Amino acid sequence: MGTIPSDTIEQIAAANDIVEVIGSYFPVKRAGANFKALCPFHQEKTPSFHVSPQRQTFHCFGCGAGGSVFRFVMDYEHIDFPSAVRKLAARVGIPVIEERGPHGEDRQHEARRVLLRLHAEAAGWFHDNLLKKELAEPARNYLKKRGISAEIAKRWQLGFAPDEWDAFGSWARGRGYDARELIASGLVKTKDDADRAPDQTSNLKPQTSYDRFRGRIMFPICNDVGEVIAFSGRLLENEAESAKYINSPETPLFRKGNVLFGLDKTKRGLIEANCAIVCEGQLDLITLYEAGITNVVAPQGTAFTENQARLLKRFVDEVVLCFDADAAGNKAAERSLEALLQNDLIVRVAEMPAGEDPDSLVRREGKEKFEKRVAAARDFFDYWIEREVAIVDLSSLGAKMQLVRKLAGTVSRVHDPMMRGEIVSKVSARLGVATSDFENLVPRSVPRPTAELPRDMDSIAPSQTIKQLSVLALRDSEVRDFLLAQEWREVLAQTPGAELLGRILSADIHVEDSATVSSFLASLEPHEEAVVSGWIASKRIAYTDRNLAHEWWYSLAAESVRRQLEALKSKMRLPQLSQGDVVNLQKQILDLREQLHELSKLLSPAPVRDI
Ligand SMILES: [Zn+2]
């Protein structure tokens, strides 16, 4: 994809008042010069979420979330930066024209756009079929039988693909899509596809290409901003020779293992509950959602992939697997486990009574009873131990040790030490083995790559002086101009924890134009953005006397010179210095002493205290 020019970003920031934008999601109350609300990013009873109309930033003193209007939309909607920019641009009617990337990238982007448009139009066509066409009568009846009203079908844009070889293909070609685009979408297959070519049972002559989905109820699969990127098609009747569900193949839009069905609609429910109910099929999910149980997801397939689990962890800390009580359901639960545990998700299992699935259960028992079942769901390890113990004869030592080893292997997937300790003591108690014996059997888990910062100068927390200078550099043009006139790059290079101040000074910021500040914040990493917005929002830091800025700066500069002097002095002690080296070093030391002397004249007699 191309990049969005920074002046467009500034224009969008300027046109979207942060108070109005946040106020469109939930109420904010005026409190002096600022606005306050209950923080949407953590649970709280008294508001610590502040929005500053003047600075156009938000900050939560409870959980530390904060940043520009873009950051808010990204975090609240769980979308990436370009999507947040486009969303805010659309809100105020600013066209976003991306700068052209390299040629290949550009073509790829264009192809993606065509595919997205094709999917959106296809969803509309399938949907129209379902609602209006005579041939969809059996599908309508089927959905009615499953408790899906026309209103629900509209909300989820359910559709119907006619049981014909080329109904979709000929409609799409009529809309101007060419064969290559249709094949790329996966909605149309070529005859050579190894999968399942038209067979002799058809009395129609097969085309060179034909529709993938025929005679199926169509469920649009959306990405997390709600754009249709694929379909899942379900047969009305169980036919022996066809799969009950088929999905779109992998396409440039659709990576099956990265998408959770329904997430675009259920993410608010997930965040609020901090728990995801996982069910197998799309119909299960829709029924639960429509019954008012909105914290639901369905993996596209039977087991969770690593990426799906990681995606889910962005919204919740706990999952409740609702799988059928049969053996296939158990297998699916087990295969999901590894990915879920590796992402430190707490896993519980709500067993469905034989012959029931979440869909039938919630329709028969109602919402409250279903919620009780979920609340009573057992910890996965309890459930699993019980099931294994039922099969294995624990009086046989060999069988018992085999089971212990198997469980130890699974426990090793748990990264969180607390969670792991708890499971270890539970499992060893249940199996009657010493905790230490069991622990010894648990293979050491593979460390996960972490995004930790290297322990260098920049991982040192900035001093109060640096924080105050940073805030002044963002809001006071006189101080900013003063700092920019100094040898700031040299000084900051010698100052621990000054990386962000350096970025603030090198950015193209006009302090009287808050849009340029928003645009700068948007260029930071999320954790940096939260840190800077925290400084801006902090009364202790922000309401400081600008007249002290010069003193602070000179003290930083003096400090950096002292640091260089120390370094040179230790160099002087190195053995094997040539005469020339020594002379050179002495000269540098004299220079630095001179600088320090000059600086001390600028500093008032009492050293500046770090507040
Ligand atoms: Zn918060």
Side-chain angles (χ1 to χ4, degrees), residues 38-44 48-49 59-65:
L38 286 173
C39 177
F41 303 115
H42 83 282
Q43 290 280 339
E44 62 176 4
S48 41
F49 181 85
H59 186 75
C60 172
F61 290 96
C63 66

Side-chain angles (χ1 to χ4, degrees), residues 410-431:
T410 306
V411 172
S412 74
R413 307 289 174 210
V414 181
H415 287 277
D416 187 76
M418 283 259 289
M419 204 166 136
R420 193 161 152 169
E422 232 170 76
I423 297 165
V424 165
S425 55
K426 188 185 315 185
V427 173
S428 36
R430 283 297 304 271
L431 296 175

